[in-house]
């Protein structure tokens, strides 16, 4: 530890926390029911610095499936301490009582998502029905009689009507009276069914497996918050260690009713998403906030040291980031034609734009022009494909100097920095459609600008962006579904369309070409369409790809970028 402190020039977490108390560790194995009873009694709590519940419905169902099969679900990391941390008053909408008088609380550090899923689903009272639009996610059922198919053993029930009688409500498995009530209801509806006894036996087995499931628990004893977070940062749960924003959030959380750093960032990103720009990941928001707060090391810092530097600056940094991020999003959307967060080629571009608009809320026309070139050229060239702490720090320094007016564009030339456009050549048109590739996302941004509208065979126009916003990746429809095509994965074989059951993209093009509105301009030369109509799908894709690459190349030249040497290239997977 001394070597690390000397390298950083700052003290480690023990001194940061102002305590020399050592932290103890107690491994244990608890019955699931016993573990959750501690939540019901108010003894096991979720600290407010934890990020909100973010699990997807399928993750919740997989958790119960793993428990029934006896698979490990990862250790729960707890912290038992006399320190009174502010904690959540509700878990999954269920009220949690106060800590019993004279007892110390135990806080969950790693396992919040699992604990919330289990507690809010298993302890949900039957009186919470009927399901409303907000709490359906906690109503999980085990479909009996489904053999051993993982895909349909556990399900959510979203409908206002009652679920089928063979759907065992998970909330009944820990409560004997509720389980008996379910069994009686099942007897009323299908008691004469020859499979009734089998269903009841299966339900009993499910309940027994869940009740007898044992949870691995590691409890940290004593110590201070910095020490607990240090342990947390080194523990992996299903391959995911504690994220930097969680660590700094915990170490800077002061309670007194204020939001934690992680929750404040989540609130900013939720607002941006609600305004139609879509979801920005929390790591990007965290890095943007650090840059706005004056930090240059945003990718690999000593998070305990960073937390100490951030003390007293969190509240203002949150406010500044909220304003600056809004300006950055407006620039992306209105000036660059980037309609959705998921289409930004690199998250670092958004982080750096947020920093710029914090420092320069009203940029000059020249700065806007340079930023436009910078965005496209770094997107095409793969400038941020392999960012490390050194290149990230240099990019932040470059953007600060540019925003402050300390350097103009000519002064950046030859510096090997991110504004050295002469050293950045656009990568070629991608040969494979894969949204994990920044080059593919850059291509899609150009395509949406080049062909913004779609027309139904009936003549109704709609926005391609709106189709993506509603349908996500399902909007990118394959034109040819022939197997074995060597170029079948090329972007030229994709078309953004609304989903119309029974109407393939190929049929859509055929119907549209013969409709009064006509095919319009979708980057499909007449000769290419003739090839498609004749069944020569491979040559159709090649011809359309050549047309799209030619048009995109023209746009690349208009921005002043160096065009690629070759016609096509590999769509490198380079999402940060």
């Amino acid at each position: 530890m001394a070597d690390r402190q000397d390298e950083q020039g700052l003290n480690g977490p023990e001194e940061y926390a102002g305590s020399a108390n050592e932290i103890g560790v107690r491994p244990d194995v608890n019955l699931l029911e016993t573990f959750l009873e501690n939540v019901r009694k108010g003894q096991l709590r979720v600290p407010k610095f934890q990020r909100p519940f973010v699990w997807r419905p399928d993750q919740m169902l997989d958790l119960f499936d793993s428990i029934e099969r006896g698979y490990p679900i990862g250790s729960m990391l707890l912290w038992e301490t006399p320190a009174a941390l502010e904690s959540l008053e509700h878990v999954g909408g269920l009220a949690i009582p106060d800590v019993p008088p004279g007892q110390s609380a135990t806080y969950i550090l790693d396992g919040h998502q699992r604990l919330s899923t289990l507690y809010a689903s298993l302890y949900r009272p039957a009186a919470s029905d009927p399901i409303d639009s907000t709490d359906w996610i906690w109503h999980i059922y085990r479909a009996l009689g489904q053999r051993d198919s993982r895909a349909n053993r556990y399900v959510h029930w979203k409908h206002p009507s009652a679920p089928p009688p063979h759907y065992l409500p998970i909330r009944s498995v820990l409560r004997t009276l509720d389980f008996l009530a379910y069994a009686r209801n099942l007897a009323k509806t299908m008691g004469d069914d020859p499979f009734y006894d089998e269903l009841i036996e299966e339900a009993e087995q499910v309940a027994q497996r869940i009740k007898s499931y044992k949870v691995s628990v590691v409890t940290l004893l004593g110590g201070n918050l910095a020490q607990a977070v240090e342990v947390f940062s080194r523990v992996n749960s299903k391959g995911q260690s504690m994220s930097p924003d969680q660590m700094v959030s915990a170490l800077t959380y002061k309670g007194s009713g204020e939001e934690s750093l992680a929750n404040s960032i989540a609130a900013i990103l939720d607002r941006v998403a609600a305004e139609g720009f879509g979801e920005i990941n929390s790591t990007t928001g965290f890095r943007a906030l650090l840059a706005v707060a004056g930090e240059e090391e945003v990718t690999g810092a000593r998070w305990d040291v960073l937390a100490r530097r951030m003390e007293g600056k969190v509240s203002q940094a949150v406010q500044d980031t909220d304003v600056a991020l809004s300006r950055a999003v407006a620039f992306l959307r209105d000036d660059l034609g980037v309609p959705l967060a998921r289409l930004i080629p690199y998250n670092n571009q958004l982080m750096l734009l947020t920093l710029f608009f914090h420092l320069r809320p009203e940029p000059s026309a020249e700065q806007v022009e340079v930023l436009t070139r910078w965005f496209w050229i770094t997107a095409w060239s793969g400038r941020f494909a392999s960012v490390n702490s050194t290149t990230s720090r240099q990019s932040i320094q470059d953007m600060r100097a540019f925003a402050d007016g300390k350097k103009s564009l000519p002064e950046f030339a030859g510096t090997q920095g991110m504004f050295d456009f002469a050293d950045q050549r656009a990568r070629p048109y991608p040969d494979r459609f894969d949204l994990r590739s920044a080059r593919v996302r850059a291509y899609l941004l150009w395509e949406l600008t080049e062909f913004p509208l779609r027309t139904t065979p009936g003549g109704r126009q709609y926005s391609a962006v709106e189709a993506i916003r509603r349908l996500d990746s399902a909007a990118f429809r394959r034109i040819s579904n022939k197997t074995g095509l060597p170029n079948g994965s090329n972007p030229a074989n994709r078309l953004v369309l609304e989903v119309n059951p029974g109407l393939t993209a190929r049929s859509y093009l055929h119907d549209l070409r013969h409709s009064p509105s006509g095919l319009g301009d979708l980057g499909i030369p007449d000769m290419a369409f003739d090839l498609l109509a004749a069944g020569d799908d491979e040559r159709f894709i090649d011809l359309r790809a050549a047309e799209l690459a030619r048009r995109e190349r023209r746009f690349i030249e208009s921005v002043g970028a160096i065009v690629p040497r070759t016609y096509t290239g590999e769509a490198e997977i380079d999402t940060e």
Side-chain angles (χ1 to χ4, degrees), residues 73 93 108 167 183 197 281 381 398 423 455:
I73 61 171
I108 188 155
Y167 275 28
D197 290 337
N281 71 57
S381 67
D398 285 351
D423 192 42
T455 305

Side-chain angles (χ1 to χ4, degrees), residues 24-26 35 44-45 50 74-80 106-112 114 215-220 228-237 242:
V25 178
R26 182 181 68 215
F35 177 74
L44 177 55
R45 315 186 69 82
Q50 288 273 18
S75 297
M76 303 285 185
L77 183 64
L78 313 181
W79 182 33
E80 185 179 306
T106 300
Y107 301 93
I108 188 155
L109 297 180
D110 188 24
H112 171 210
R114 286 166 286 163
V215 182
S216 175
V217 178
V218 176
T219 305
L220 307 180
V229 169
E230 173 69 12
V231 175
F232 191 176
S233 69
R234 300 184 185 191
V235 173
N236 284 340
S237 173
M242 185 183 193

Side-chain angles (χ1 to χ4, degrees), residues 457-459 511-519:
D511 293 349
L512 192 61
R513 194 184 196 197
H514 294 89
S515 69
S517 58
L519 185 62

Side-chain angles (χ1 to χ4, degrees), residues 33-68:
E33 187 172 8
T34 303
F35 177 74
L36 295 178
E37 271 295 299
N38 291 327
V39 182
R40 189 185 66 80
K41 294 175 182 177
Q43 295 172 313
L44 177 55
R45 315 186 69 82
V46 180
K48 281 190 175 181
F49 60 68
Q50 288 273 18
R51 66 176 55 188
F53 184 82
V54 296
W55 260 19
R56 302 184 309 273
D58 62 292
Q59 291 175 292
M60 301 172 70
L61 301 181
D62 282 347
L63 179 66
F64 277 102
D65 190 79
S66 295
I67 288 174
E68 182 183 336

Side-chain angles (χ1 to χ4, degrees), residues 148-323:
D148 198 35
S149 173
R150 182 178 180 180
N152 57 12
R153 281 160 57 102
Y154 285 89
V155 297
H156 287 97
W157 186 255
K158 307 177 185 179
H159 311 289
S161 58
H166 68 286
Y167 275 28
L168 169 67
I170 289 303
R171 65 167 184 266
S172 70
V173 302
L174 296 184
R175 294 190 285 257
T176 302
L177 293 179
D178 286 356
F179 185 85
L180 292 175
Y182 169 75
R184 287 194 299 269
N185 185 64
L186 186 64
K188 290 178 182 178
T189 56
M190 56 183 306
D192 296 331
D193 192 297
F195 295 104
Y196 167 74
D197 290 337
E198 292 183 14
L199 295 180
I200 286 296
E201 183 178 353
E202 184 179 358
E204 291 174 345
Q205 290 176 353
V206 170
Q208 181 59 30
R209 288 175 182 174
I210 293 177
K211 293 177 70 172
S212 63
Y213 187 83
K214 294 182 178 179
V215 182
S216 175
V217 178
V218 176
T219 305
L220 307 180
L221 305 171
N224 52 59
L225 180 58
Q227 291 169 315
V229 169
E230 173 69 12
V231 175
F232 191 176
S233 69
R234 300 184 185 191
V235 173
N236 284 340
S237 173
K238 292 191 174 182
Q240 294 183 337
S241 60
M242 185 183 193
S243 61
D245 60 316
Q246 287 176 291
M247 287 185 255
V248 177
S249 178
L251 290 170
T252 56
Y253 185 65
K254 298 301 180 185
S256 304
E258 72 174 18
E259 284 291 331
S260 70
L261 176 60
N263 286 355
S264 296
I265 293 172
I268 294 173
L269 303 185
D270 285 346
R271 177 188 58 75
V272 172
E275 292 174 356
F277 195 64
E279 184 177 345
I280 298 168
N281 71 57
S282 60
T283 299
T284 302
F286 176 61
R287 290 177 178 176
L289 183 140
L290 292 182
V292 166
E295 296 293 330
E296 292 183 352
E297 184 56 83
V298 302
T299 60
R302 270 282 300 278
W303 304 116
D304 55 307
V305 173
L306 176 61
R308 187 168 74 173
R309 289 204 301 263
M310 288 290 292
E311 277 197 295
K313 299 194 296 184
V314 171
S315 178
Q316 187 62 50
V318 168
Q319 296 178 42
D320 292 342
T321 302
D322 196 3
V323 174

Side-chain angles (χ1 to χ4, degrees), residues 81-147:
T81 174
L85 300 182
E86 290 195 29
S87 56
L88 299 183
E89 297 176 353
H90 293 81
V91 172
L94 303 184
I96 304 300
D98 294 334
V99 182
Q103 295 188 20
S104 297
T106 300
Y107 301 93
I108 188 155
L109 297 180
D110 188 24
H112 171 210
Q113 308 297 315
R114 286 166 286 163
L115 179 143
S116 295
T117 297
L118 294 169
Y119 182 77
S121 300
L122 290 167
Y123 280 74
R124 203 154 212 88
S128 64
D129 289 336
I131 301 170
D132 62 34
S133 60
T134 60
D135 77 346
W136 65 264
I137 195 171
W138 307 111
H139 290 257
I140 296 175
Y141 294 81
R142 169 60 158 83
L144 304 175
Q146 300 297 105
R147 297 187 182 277

Side-chain angles (χ1 to χ4, degrees), residues 460-537:
R460 178 179 63 85
Q461 283 194 329
Y462 63 91
S463 164
V465 170
E466 287 304 316
I468 298 173
R469 184 174 283 119
R470 288 196 306 275
L471 304 172
D472 199 55
S473 57
F476 300 103
R477 309 276 301 278
R478 281 180 174 269
I479 299 172
S480 171
N481 287 307
K482 284 187 177 180
T483 59
L485 287 176
N487 57 359
S489 60
N490 194 289
N493 193 31
R494 299 277 183 159
L495 198 60
V496 176
L497 294 176
E498 290 181 339
V499 171
N500 188 339
L503 184 66
T504 64
R506 189 189 201 104
S507 299
Y508 164 84
L509 290 175
H510 178 272
D511 293 349
L512 192 61
R513 194 184 196 197
H514 294 89
S515 69
S517 58
L519 185 62
D521 187 3
L522 295 174
I524 304 177
D526 288 339
M527 184 181 297
F529 191 87
D530 291 339
L531 291 169
L532 182 66
D536 194 344
D537 294 17

